[in-house]
Amino acid sequence: MGEKRKIELDYSQLDSERMRLNVGPQHPSTHGVLRLEVELDGEIVTDVIPHVGYLHRCFEKHCEKMEYPMVTPYIDRLDYISSMNNEWPFIMGVEQMMGIKVPEKVEYLRVIVSELNRIANHQIAIATFGLDAGAFTPLLWLFRDREMILAILEKLSGGRLLYNYFRVGGMAADIYPTFKEDVLAAISQVRKTNPEILNLLLLNKIFIDRTASVGILPADVAINYGCTGPMLRGSGVPYDLRRTEPYSIYDRFDFEVQIGKGEVGTVGDCWDRNIVRYREIEQSCNIIEQAINQMPMEGDVKEAFPKKVRPPKGEIYCKAENPKGELGFYIVSDGKNNPERVKCRSTSFVNLSVLPEISKGYMFADLIMILGSIDIVLGEVDR
Amino acid sequence: MQAQEIFDKLKEKFNDDILELKADAPSDPIILINGAELFNIAQFMRDKEELDFDYLVDLISLDLGDNLGAIYIFYSMKHKHRIALKAIVPKDNPILPTLENLWRTADWLEREAWDLMGIKFEGHHNLIRILNPYDWEGHPLRKDYVTPEFYHGMKVPY
Amino acid sequence: MEQNFVNMLIENPWIAALIIVVIPLVFVVIYALIAILGELKIASFVQERLGPMRTGWKGTMQPVAEVVKLLQKEDITPDAADKPLFNLAPFLMFAAAFAGFAVIPFSPYFLPAGIELGLFYVFAIGSLGVIGLVMGGWASNNKYSLLGAMRSVAQIVSYEIPAAIAILSIATLSGSLNLNVISDNQSGWFWNWYIFGGPGPWWKILVIPFTLGLGLIYLISTLAETNRTPFDIPEGESEIVAGYHTEYSGMKFAMFFFAEYANMFIVAAILMLLFFGGWNSPFGDFLNQWWMQPVWFILKAFFWVFLTIWLRWTLPRLRVDQLMYMSWKVLLPWGFVCFFAVSLFVMLK
């Protein structure tokens, strides 16, 4: 399949008109309110112009008006698929500025909830990607599997999607008595049902035909465009903040950074990005298993709460590996109760900017697949 | 490479345009530079073998009262080091050279900085608003920004 | 052989003709309701959920509720649409699908129109539906509709050729174009079906691989002709929203829907008549009474409908160029090979 992609025609011989098509803001597969202005020559995409901002609420301006603990719920709503992961860098940044050392138990709990949420996020990413390809059943199978994870997170924090669980210096609530059993059960369930998705969707012949060697993103282009997460790893660059610059306690766990190898097509195609996500689910299971076994079950998660969240004057860039890539918050404090400035390096926003580069010359149906493989959440793109 | 070494390297090449190094933990080390020379410094940082900053992590725009600031965070995939550059421009004439020809990711990041903070990037091929509507007025993240009463006849403040 | 039991019962030819027309119409409506329910329930079974449960016993009245909902809906015609064509398209499409029923023998005693060229007729009239489809896509004045219509024309026209080859081979094998005769030729046990080479001497084993191949080619082509997954590219909702019927609502949309299901039944019926013995019982004279024959026929056709629904909820969608590749470079050459083999067999027999 490798050689017959990239359709090239000699347009000068034809007297034809190109069609401008507005895909979105209301469209089944733009994953929200994204508008793509697409120029089509028949079925072949000649130009793509993304128009973002339909969900813009100026999150950064909101932050300046709020005290630090009040910012967390807003951060949940950036990438609403993986809220736990979103909260972490912001809270970690404030803690570093204030010089708070959180208890061991909190660190482990943070790792566990973040990795659980990472699994849920990747499941949704694969599911919606399958939906873009026209396979409806994997979506419901993956939603079924995700339910156990959401149930655990709901029991912990009270919310199913928007948790507001991280606090400066600790967590909002302690674990519940059967937490360990629940987590282990969820992992074994994920490990059992994951190969089903592999067989039903990812190794399906039609699916491979649709995704292999489509939307190839070479490693240097990916780095130049600032792509991170499965986008970059799919292109064969083993850049994972959990491993390259381990934050929190990630240096204690044994896991492999997954990269795309071009098994069915070219390195950095849509299939590679998705198989990376699929394998990261397995790696997350390993991390959770190690963490839950090492985690001290006794102890108070609210022990290190500061009396008043008021970081000293200074500024910090704090980043973490979100399921979608590097999520960073630049926090500027002038010693008041509310931040002077918060800048969010949103992963989806940066990842989306590569879309026009990698989708030209493919067919319209491929454009949808490429967009799906980027795994954007418009709440994070538009902020 | 440590921040101090990077600073020395840049100082050696650009002398007066590199102003100072701020490296008080826990903040990331920041090198204050002269904004007019930003493009050359950035190009040197990207292309020089020992530095090799191939990844522009983020562009942060700041409102510093009378001035506007822009912080660029760079990372090197090869050497695994990280540095930030900070340029300060006056509020009444906020112009910086664009970096979109060095890092394509700067395209959208600069559009965002223009949209929300009003920093003009000279040479950018398409410096239009990105998050706000294209005909929005004002730059919301400036401290002196006043929300307009109406936008196309719709009431804005809620 | 008797062509029609209605003519035997009723003297007046006009009333008889009316009844003959009404029977398939009623059948189509009932069948479409059952197929919609089947679609919903099979989908929910595949996806490990319950599906509709609140309308009637276990949700069995859901299709009725949906039809009532569609009837109540506002009938929107876009301002920029070409109104006469826009309004005509769904009816044309349904008419084309329904006209196919004229030559489908539900049993040896019920063939609505006893024309000798039944196979040719159903194939020709089936292609008429594509005009309705293009008309709807073009008249909607919507780019998505236009793309959908463009795709479906390309798809249906290409896939008609492999289907025609398969049909031609069976016509060669049976020596007739009358569907009733073709079906009658396959009476007896199931090894007399044309998918297994039809009735013949023992060395027909040699031709079985080719007839099986023809059956497969016809099955794939009909999937593409009825726009079902994995060939539902003209209405692939993740790309072009709903394809040619993006702008349709209410009853006109329902007409498209009915036409699609009616088409599904027609191609299923043709497949059964050509390859799977039509209205014959698979087990010789066992349960092969006159009243069981329509039941066998409908059961066989429903099995194919079930198969398409099953495929739909399992497979992803192909891309438009892969679809063309499949038709022109895979199905067509193999179709010719099978056709020659079958012709050779007929010559030697």
Side-chain angles (χ1 to χ4, degrees):
Chain A
M1 288 301 295
E3 69 291 343
K4 77 173 182 74
R5 300 293 315 126
K6 280 280 179 192
I7 302 111
E8 282 180 24
L9 291 175
D10 185 10
Y11 297 113
S12 56
Q13 302 292 315
L14 294 164
D15 182 28
S16 60
E17 200 180 321
R18 305 223 172 141
M19 179 157 75
R20 282 206 165 262
L21 186 64
N22 263 312
V23 182
Q26 277 97 32
H27 186 274
S29 54
T30 47
H31 298 243
V33 280
L34 168 69
R35 180 157 78 94
L36 297 175
E37 201 181 324
V38 183
E39 197 185 70
L40 287 177
D41 187 338
E43 284 267 344
I44 295 162
V45 176
T46 51
D47 198 10
V48 185
I49 305 166
H51 296 268
V52 300
Y54 286 86
L55 268 182
H56 183 55
R57 53 228 186 254
C58 216
F59 153 78
E60 290 161 12
K61 190 79 176 173
H62 278 283
C63 293
E64 292 172 13
K65 295 279 185 291
M66 288 181 298
E67 295 175 17
Y68 285 93
M70 291 159 75
V71 175
T72 342
Y74 280 77
I75 292 172
D76 282 341
R77 281 147 182 85
L78 290 180
D79 177 359
Y80 42 81
I81 307 289
S82 53
S83 302
M84 290 286 190
N85 293 284
N86 284 2
E87 290 169 14
W88 202 352
F90 182 78
I91 295 292
M92 198 157 60
V94 177
E95 280 167 0
Q96 280 175 14
M97 284 172 100
M98 296 176 71
I100 297 173
K101 179 95 179 67
V102 294
E104 194 87 323
K105 184 181 182 185
V106 172
E107 295 278 22
Y108 278 107
L109 191 53
R110 284 180 179 181
V111 169
I112 292 167
V113 294
S114 296
E115 294 301 323
L116 282 174
N117 214 329
R118 187 187 308 275
I119 295 174
N121 176 82
H122 282 341
Q123 282 174 334
I124 293 228
I126 296 170
T128 50
F129 187 61
L131 196 61
D132 289 342
F136 197 74
T137 303
L139 176 87
L140 286 144
W141 284 23
L142 284 162
F143 267 68
R144 174 201 67 193
D145 301 344
R146 175 170 165 261
E147 201 57 31
M148 274 184 100
I149 291 169
L150 291 193
I152 292 172
L153 298 180
E154 186 182 4
K155 275 188 191 168
L156 276 173
S157 67
R160 277 173 65 80
L161 276 179
L162 309 166
Y163 308 108
N164 190 17
Y165 187 48
F166 282 55
R167 293 282 190 275
V168 177
M171 301 302 246
D174 206 342
I175 55 172
Y176 58 93
T178 57
F179 176 67
K180 187 171 177 179
E181 290 75 38
D182 280 5
V183 170
L184 287 174
I187 294 170
S188 63
Q189 175 70 19
V190 168
R191 280 182 174 155
K192 202 172 101 223
T193 52
N194 231 17
E196 289 178 5
I197 299 304
L198 193 68
N199 293 330
L200 179 69
L201 184 70
L202 293 172
L203 294 183
N204 186 310
K205 176 79 172 75
I206 298 177
F207 185 78
I208 289 176
D209 279 356
R210 285 295 308 276
T211 53
S213 299
V214 168
I216 300 162
L217 177 63
D220 54 338
V221 176
I223 294 169
N224 203 260
Y225 268 94
C227 298
T228 42
M231 280 288 277
L232 183 59
R233 290 195 285 276
S235 299
V237 182
Y239 177 74
D240 188 328
L241 285 172
R242 292 176 293 173
R243 185 44 62 77
T244 48
E245 292 170 74
Y247 52 97
S248 184
I249 50 166
Y250 270 110
D251 45 358
R252 297 182 198 175
F253 303 118
D254 174 33
F255 68 99
E256 284 168 32
V257 177
Q258 297 297 331
I259 54 167
K261 302 184 191 84
E263 281 140 281
V264 297
T266 321
V267 177
D269 56 13
C270 290
W271 193 84
D272 272 359
R273 294 198 266 283
N274 275 280
I275 203 73
V276 165
R277 290 197 182 99
Y278 171 81
R279 289 180 184 146
E280 275 181 15
I281 293 178
E282 292 168 355
Q283 296 302 325
S284 288
C285 287
N286 293 345
I287 294 175
I288 294 168
E289 199 175 41
Q290 293 168 43
I292 196 91
N293 288 326
Q294 294 171 17
M295 179 177 167
M297 285 297 154
E298 304 304 315
D300 186 9
V301 292
K302 302 181 181 176
E303 184 176 278
F305 275 15
K307 284 225 165 50
K308 185 83 192 163
V309 184
R310 188 185 288 165
K313 213 164 155 32
E315 43 200 79
I316 194 166
Y317 177 72
C318 200
K319 68 240 170 259
E321 184 71 25
N322 211 37
K324 295 180 172 68
E326 174 177 346
L327 178 73
F329 285 99
Y330 198 91
I331 307 165
V332 181
S333 163
D334 56 354
K336 292 205 197 93
N337 282 340
N338 41 353
E340 165 81 11
R341 169 95 166 91
V342 173
K343 166 75 167 70
C344 165
R345 185 219 186 260
S346 91
T347 322
S348 303
F349 180 77
V350 178
N351 282 356
L352 182 63
S353 69
V354 82
L355 179 72
E357 174 75 24
I358 56 174
S359 55
K360 276 174 203 163
Y362 290 102
M363 300 193 103
F364 181 56
D366 290 333
L367 171 69
I368 302 294
M369 300 300 286
I370 295 166
L371 179 64
S373 75
I374 295 175
D375 184 23
I376 51 166
V377 162
L378 265 298
E380 199 188 1
V381 173
D382 295 342
R383 280 165 291 156
Chain B
M1 205 182 274
Q2 291 304 308
Q4 188 63 45
E5 296 172 56
I6 297 169
F7 178 72
D8 292 343
K9 258 227 156 57
L10 292 178
K11 191 84 186 166
E12 192 182 304
K13 171 92 180 167
F14 291 100
N15 216 346
D16 289 347
D17 293 320
I18 309 295
L19 303 174
E20 62 170 312
L21 171 71
K22 281 200 286 188
D24 35 344
S27 310
D28 284 335
I30 296 180
I31 297 173
L32 213 60
I33 60 155
N34 175 4
E37 279 299 306
L38 174 67
F39 183 84
N40 293 335
I41 296 169
Q43 193 167 28
F44 175 74
M45 283 170 69
R46 189 189 71 162
D47 296 339
K48 186 82 178 164
E49 197 58 29
E50 307 98 87
L51 299 175
D52 197 22
F53 286 103
D54 50 1
Y55 170 28
L56 172 59
V57 180
D58 200 2
L59 162 58
I60 297 117
S61 54
L62 301 169
D63 187 344
L64 308 168
D66 295 336
N67 297 318
L68 297 178
I71 297 174
Y72 294 81
I73 302 175
F74 298 103
Y75 180 78
S76 166
M77 290 278 173
K78 195 168 150 202
H79 303 300
K80 309 220 181 307
H81 52 214
R82 193 179 277 273
I83 197 78
L85 295 186
K86 185 173 182 178
I88 292 176
V89 286
K91 209 172 203 172
D92 46 3
N93 187 24
I95 292 181
L96 278 174
T98 179
L99 297 187
E100 66 156 351
N101 298 324
L102 301 176
W103 292 276
R104 296 288 296 134
T105 178
D107 179 358
W108 280 30
L109 293 174
E110 281 172 1
R111 274 174 71 187
E112 189 196 337
W114 157 249
D115 185 0
L116 299 179
M117 193 61 92
I119 301 174
K120 275 205 190 84
F121 292 92
E122 220 166 24
H124 191 289
H125 78 286
N126 185 23
L127 194 65
I128 52 172
R129 289 180 181 275
I130 184 160
L131 291 174
N132 283 318
Y134 294 119
D135 54 352
W136 192 261
E137 276 171 30
H139 303 287
L141 280 181
R142 288 193 180 180
K143 297 284 179 196
D144 53 3
Y145 172 74
V146 185
T147 317
E149 281 286 303
F150 290 98
Y151 172 70
H152 285 292
M154 293 175 279
K155 205 166 175 298
V156 177
Y158 51 89
Chain C
M1 193 198 315
E2 279 304 329
Q3 291 287 354
N4 216 317
F5 76 97
V6 182
N7 280 331
M8 286 156 57
L9 294 176
I10 295 165
E11 295 290 324
N12 188 327
W14 294 101
I15 294 174
L18 199 67
I19 290 171
I20 289 169
V21 171
V22 164
I23 288 173
L25 192 61
V26 172
F27 173 78
V28 168
V29 172
I30 293 171
Y31 147 78
L33 294 181
I34 294 171
I36 292 168
L37 184 68
E39 183 102 49
L40 293 169
K41 281 294 182 186
I42 292 166
S44 51
F45 175 72
V46 171
Q47 294 161 353
E48 302 196 16
R49 56 191 174 91
L50 289 173
M53 288 297 279
R54 304 218 169 182
T55 34
W57 180 78
K58 299 253 181 204
T60 36
M61 298 305 282
Q62 184 68 24
V64 179
E66 293 201 355
V67 171
V68 171
K69 177 200 77 178
L70 281 173
L71 279 171
Q72 289 173 334
K73 275 202 168 172
E74 191 189 350
D75 191 21
I76 301 166
T77 310
D79 256 358
D82 189 336
K83 291 189 184 58
L85 293 183
F86 184 83
N87 291 329
L88 183 63
F91 300 98
L92 189 75
M93 197 158 154
F94 183 74
F98 183 62
F101 278 86
V103 290
I104 303 289
F106 284 80
S107 91
Y109 307 105
F110 185 72
L111 178 61
I115 51 175
E116 281 302 311
L117 291 172
L119 195 51
F120 182 69
Y121 166 83
V122 77
F123 201 66
I125 208 87
S127 316
L128 209 63
V130 77
I131 296 177
L133 214 141
V134 179
M135 210 185 255
W138 183 264
S140 300
N141 205 356
N142 176 323
K143 287 171 183 171
Y144 289 114
S145 303
L146 181 63
L147 272 175
M150 261 160 47
R151 286 177 172 196
S152 59
V153 174
Q155 173 174 336
I156 292 175
V157 169
S158 329
Y159 272 87
E160 247 162 30
I161 297 166
I165 301 266
I167 287 177
L168 202 61
S169 313
I170 298 304
T172 320
L173 210 53
S174 66
S176 169
L177 284 174
N178 187 328
L179 287 164
N180 224 349
V181 176
I182 294 174
S183 194
D184 197 41
N185 286 349
Q186 304 176 60
S187 51
W189 286 77
F190 59 83
W191 53 75
N192 281 349
W193 293 355
Y194 282 134
I195 189 102
F196 302 118
W202 65 267
W203 51 274
K204 75 163 187 174
I205 292 169
L206 294 175
V207 85
I208 286 180
F210 299 103
T211 45
L212 276 173
L214 285 169
L216 200 63
I217 287 170
Y218 187 73
L219 202 141
I220 293 171
S221 315
T222 51
L223 271 179
E225 271 189 70
T226 46
N227 298 338
R228 298 290 295 186
T229 313
F231 305 105
D232 63 338
I233 292 160
E235 43 197 279
E237 86 278 346
S238 64
E239 294 144 26
I240 48 172
V241 190
Y244 56 88
H245 56 59
T246 306
E247 293 286 353
Y248 283 90
S249 63
M251 208 48 216
K252 278 185 233 150
F253 172 73
M255 281 309 236
F256 272 125
F257 213 66
F258 271 124
E260 190 190 318
Y261 277 96
N263 254 331
M264 256 166 83
F265 187 83
I266 296 230
V267 294
I270 302 287
L271 183 74
M272 294 312 145
L273 288 164
L274 293 186
F275 291 98
F276 293 95
W279 33 257
N280 285 303
S281 158
F283 314 108
D285 285 337
F286 175 69
L287 285 180
N288 200 20
Q289 293 86 349
W290 63 269
W291 50 270
M292 262 314 279
Q293 284 170 340
V295 177
W296 278 120
F297 180 73
I298 289 168
L299 273 182
K300 285 175 185 173
F302 268 44
F303 177 74
W304 189 90
V305 173
F306 164 74
L307 201 73
T308 58
I309 293 172
W310 183 10
L311 282 176
R312 171 167 179 186
W313 297 109
T314 312
L315 294 177
R317 184 183 305 124
L318 282 166
R319 201 177 47 220
V320 78
D321 60 319
Q322 290 163 347
L323 183 92
M324 293 298 152
Y325 179 88
M326 180 101 172
S327 166
W328 294 100
K329 294 196 174 166
V330 182
L331 295 185
L332 196 58
W334 284 110
F336 272 119
V337 169
C338 295
F339 174 57
F340 282 125
V342 168
S343 312
L344 208 65
F345 171 74
V346 172
M347 262 172 67
L348 297 174
K349 191 165 72 170

